[in-house]
Amino acid sequence: MRLKLQYCLFILFGLFSLKISAQDVSLYEQFNGRYDFIFVGNTMNPAENNQVNFCTVPTISSADLNLPPGNEVQSAFLYWAGSGTGDFNVRLNGLDITPQRTFSKTQISTDNRPRPFFCAFTDVTSIVSATGNGTYTLSDLDVNANITLYCSNRTNFAGWAIVIVYKNDLLPVNQLNIYDGLQSIPENIIISLSDLNVINTTGAQIGFVAWEGDQGLSDGETLSVNDHILSNLPLNPETNAFNGTNTFTQSDSLYNMDLDVYDIADYVHPGDQSATIKLSSSADYVMISTIVTKLNNNLPDATIVISNVVSSCGSRQIVVDYTVSNLNSTKELPAHVPVSFFADGRFIQTTFTLIPIPIGGHENGQIILTLPDDLPDDFMLKAVADDNGSGNGTVTEINETNNGFELPATLLPLPEFNIVQGPNACNEGFTKGTFDFSGYADLIRIDPADRISFYPTREDAENQTNAIANTSHYNAASSQEIFVRIDKGVCHTVTSFALVVKNCPPTVYNYISANNDGLNDYFYIKGLRDIFVNFKLSVYNRWGKLLWTGNNNSPDWDGDAVKGLVVSGGRVPDGTYFYILELNDPDYPQPLNGYLYFDK
């Protein structure tokens, strides 16, 4: 397929040597499809400012748009410029216009008097789309406030131009690039246009919107593409490219402004990805604010967007939903294009598109990625279409720099915790006890922000039901398990500890007053019965004579002697006696012994 390349330069010219402060021209917007462009605009100057000394510039001028039938306006960009610091309140067809972007620079001429100039930009697509063909009038562009300063060196000017992008199904498939900024000459200026893709050069052209104003000034004035000087006879000779002409209307009286088109089929080559524009002048003052390139091409353009990332608690896997698109393209994207995923710049995995994606179409996909153990929980996830994981793709695209999509992602780790041993409690009978684990939350948690709660079953912990409210006095049997839920925002984990009932040493009350007053009437040992169920208790007199034995099935000793000498109705006399308590418990292999005092 033969390609067509066009460039549009928005340029302002004046006189004398100067210094420039400006913004480099760079890519502003790109269109891919069946598009073309046209310029509509007019100067405000009533004559060439180098031949007629006028010091008043009109504030209104008009131009006609005549698009052939079948063409639909896609975008329209209005630029206006002039002498001075700027008039940023103008009207287009009676509608108020203010700039969305502005540019400025200052000329320092041989008289050392600084002369500022301005350029402004506004998107007027809605106005041009609604109006269509007809007359466009720019009004209220007033640069006369300080015009005397500019009259003295013939740089008084004002003007406007609309760059119109239109589409038509009968047009060839084109790539249209719009660049803007603000750069100036003399003496020379070089602008490198990137993001081009020259496949075929048939019909390649270059077009300019330029402010100059002088047919008679051509001192060192040249325009070239890729080092080839351009001409367009009879309107534009090689030595006078900017001479007040309009190639679209064949006018030679567009004072201080040019709308010119040049054929450059011999100056670009298939495979070119950039072009170099050079302007030179020994006298003229040139401001470049807009360049438009058009290439007839036929390429896909793969882009990708991650729409959703799902992490699971405690898992190193994430589920990624993504969409591969072929939106800003001029050709179908083939099937089996690689799509690679990276985490913090580290390659993770590659997948592939399944079907061809048409112009303007897309394909949704999902992938499960397993992330390395040493990857931090918070990381940057990146997806790159047309990338095999090493930065290499399989298709040539319109734009090779827009294949990636990056966003922050987070794994959901389970809370970390300390493993603890369960508390002990003394056996209060039948292996039951009262436990205190009120301080265990601080022992278990590692992150102070984690929330700790306790439950009698694992099911309760998972469902957050029946939480244990009183952790300082909790009655339970030995070996019961307490389940601990540790919450960290979205994620939680459950651990447990066992409650342990121990047979604590019994407490011996070694005084008996067997007078039936309800106080100390028996030999009482606290923490013995129903705890040490196999105990044996023996009582002896001071000479070591056994007087009584009992166990868990016997009543407490009340002073009656059932063995040995029995006096006073079987009750032992007042005095000191001795006991031996065999607990028959693994924790207490040795008998306990001591004395007790009996008093009737």
Side-chain angles (χ1 to χ4, degrees):
M1 183 180 292
R2 307 289 284 182
L3 296 185
K4 189 177 184 181
L5 172 63
Q6 291 185 333
Y7 303 84
C8 163
L9 299 176
F10 187 69
I11 306 176
L12 300 172
F13 286 74
L15 300 172
F16 305 100
S17 61
L18 52 97
K19 296 180 180 178
I20 302 168
S21 296
Q23 300 83 42
D24 287 347
V25 173
S26 60
L27 182 65
Y28 170 66
E29 191 161 350
Q30 184 182 83
F31 300 86
N32 289 281
R34 301 187 183 278
Y35 296 110
D36 208 332
F37 72 94
I38 192 173
F39 303 115
V40 175
N42 203 355
T43 181
M44 299 291 187
N45 285 12
E48 294 177 354
N49 61 14
N50 196 45
Q51 297 180 10
V52 178
N53 188 11
F54 60 89
C55 282
T56 300
V57 177
T59 63
I60 184 171
S61 68
S62 300
D64 292 331
L65 172 62
N66 294 295
L67 281 177
N71 294 312
E72 178 184 350
V73 173
Q74 175 70 25
S75 294
F77 305 124
L78 171 65
Y79 294 85
W80 69 98
S83 310
T85 56
D87 184 353
F88 301 124
N89 293 281
V90 298
R91 295 171 69 83
L92 181 64
N93 288 357
L95 300 175
D96 291 334
I97 300 292
T98 55
Q100 294 170 329
R101 291 181 296 140
T102 63
F103 310 96
S104 64
K105 64 89 186 176
T106 299
Q107 174 199 29
I108 307 297
S109 301
T110 53
D111 60 1
N112 289 321
R113 300 179 69 184
R115 290 174 173 84
F117 296 86
F118 76 95
C119 182
F121 164 92
T122 290
D123 188 323
V124 292
T125 303
S126 60
I127 297 175
V128 177
S129 296
T131 304
N133 285 336
T135 300
Y136 286 80
T137 300
L138 190 83
S139 58
D140 296 348
L141 175 51
D142 191 349
V143 297
N144 293 301
N146 298 301
I147 199 69
T148 302
L149 177 64
Y150 299 88
C151 290
S152 63
N153 74 341
R154 304 294 196 271
T155 57
N156 45 309
F157 77 91
W160 59 278
I162 304 176
V163 177
I164 299 172
V165 179
Y166 61 91
K167 60 184 178 180
N168 190 321
D169 290 340
L170 300 180
L171 289 170
V173 177
N174 293 320
Q175 180 188 79
L176 199 67
N177 286 352
I178 297 179
Y179 307 79
D180 64 14
L182 197 62
Q183 292 180 253
S184 306
I185 57 171
E187 299 286 336
N188 298 283
I189 187 169
I190 298 176
I191 299 174
S192 181
L193 304 180
S194 60
D195 298 293
L196 302 180
N197 181 41
V198 178
I199 299 177
N200 189 298
T201 64
T202 299
Q205 293 182 323
I206 185 168
F208 297 88
V209 177
W211 307 96
E212 188 267 337
D214 299 304
Q215 291 183 357
L217 280 179
S218 59
D219 187 8
E221 180 178 297
T222 62
L223 168 67
S224 68
V225 172
N226 292 338
D227 293 324
H228 296 280
I229 296 177
L230 303 179
S231 66
N232 183 21
L233 298 175
L235 289 179
N236 307 106
E238 286 186 354
T239 57
N240 200 1
F242 309 106
N243 54 357
T245 58
N246 185 341
T247 306
F248 293 96
T249 63
Q250 295 301 301
S251 170
D252 61 359
S253 59
L254 195 66
Y255 306 124
N256 300 101
M257 183 173 181
D258 284 77
L259 297 175
D260 294 319
V261 178
Y262 297 84
D263 294 324
I264 56 168
D266 296 332
Y267 310 143
V268 291
H269 304 90
D272 286 353
Q273 296 183 357
S274 63
T276 301
I277 309 299
K278 293 183 180 180
L279 299 97
S280 63
S281 172
S282 298
D284 287 345
Y285 176 49
V286 180
M287 291 190 305
I288 301 175
S289 69
T290 305
I291 301 173
V292 179
T293 68
K294 186 182 72 174
L295 289 169
N296 182 287
N297 74 7
N298 193 19
L299 288 175
D301 188 39
T303 59
I304 190 169
V305 172
I306 297 174
S307 57
N308 193 35
V309 179
V310 177
S311 301
S312 300
C313 290
S315 175
R316 302 296 295 182
Q317 290 187 333
I318 58 174
V319 180
V320 181
D321 295 318
Y322 62 92
T323 300
V324 177
S325 299
N326 189 30
L327 301 178
N328 194 28
S329 63
T330 56
K331 184 180 180 181
E332 177 183 83
L333 183 70
H336 308 300
V337 172
V339 178
S340 293
F341 294 84
F342 303 82
D344 277 356
R346 298 165 61 179
F347 170 71
I348 304 299
Q349 190 172 335
T350 296
T351 186
F352 298 88
T353 59
L354 300 177
I355 60 175
I357 302 176
I359 296 172
H362 67 271
E363 176 184 304
N364 295 324
Q366 185 180 85
I367 189 171
I368 299 175
L369 302 178
T370 301
L371 303 173
D373 291 339
D374 58 346
L375 187 76
D377 293 336
D378 296 314
F379 62 95
M380 292 301 297
L381 177 65
K382 185 175 184 178
V384 185
D386 193 27
D387 187 330
N388 62 5
S390 62
N392 298 315
T394 60
V395 296
T396 301
E397 303 179 63
I398 285 173
N399 187 348
E400 299 286 359
T401 64
N402 65 347
N403 299 103
F405 185 90
E406 192 173 33
L407 80 171
T410 301
L411 293 174
L412 300 176
L414 295 176
E416 295 182 350
F417 59 91
N418 294 314
I419 298 175
V420 297
Q421 296 294 323
N424 298 328
C426 290
N427 191 347
E428 297 172 357
F430 304 108
T431 68
K432 293 183 178 180
T434 301
F435 294 88
D436 180 3
F437 45 92
S438 57
Y440 269 44
D442 290 334
L443 297 178
I444 293 170
R445 70 162 59 91
I446 293 177
D447 185 346
D450 291 348
R451 301 187 305 274
I452 307 294
S453 49
F454 301 89
Y455 299 87
T457 68
R458 182 174 292 277
E459 181 179 5
D460 284 334
E462 294 290 350
N463 298 328
Q464 293 183 280
T465 57
N466 303 316
I468 297 173
N470 189 351
T471 57
S472 60
H473 293 83
Y474 183 73
N475 296 314
S478 181
S479 300
Q480 179 178 332
E481 199 169 5
I482 298 298
F483 294 88
V484 186
R485 180 184 174 107
I486 305 107
D487 277 290
K488 180 186 289 294
V490 175
C491 297
H492 76 277
T493 191
V494 173
T495 185
S496 67
F497 56 79
L499 303 178
V500 178
V501 173
K502 296 180 64 176
N503 291 338
C504 297
T507 301
V508 178
Y509 294 89
N510 58 355
Y511 175 72
I512 303 174
S513 60
N515 55 8
N516 296 320
D517 63 355
L519 298 175
N520 302 315
D521 289 332
Y522 304 95
F523 182 23
Y524 177 61
I525 302 177
K526 183 179 180 180
L528 178 63
R529 292 187 179 276
D530 300 326
I531 297 173
F532 297 93
V533 294
N534 296 315
F535 79 87
K536 178 183 177 182
L537 178 62
S538 301
V539 179
Y540 298 86
N541 62 16
R542 70 182 64 182
W543 295 283
K545 187 70 174 179
L546 177 65
L547 302 178
W548 180 88
T549 62
N551 56 34
N552 203 38
N553 297 316
S554 305
D556 292 332
W557 185 54
D558 59 359
D560 287 339
V562 296
K563 296 181 182 295
L565 180 63
V566 176
V567 295
S568 185
R571 187 65 54 89
V572 297
D574 295 349
T576 299
Y577 296 84
F578 297 89
Y579 68 87
I580 296 176
L581 176 60
E582 299 171 77
L583 297 176
N584 294 315
D585 186 282
D587 291 336
Y588 302 92
Q590 299 299 322
L592 304 180
N593 56 75
Y595 68 91
L596 62 91
Y597 185 76
F598 180 80
D599 182 8
K600 292 188 259 186

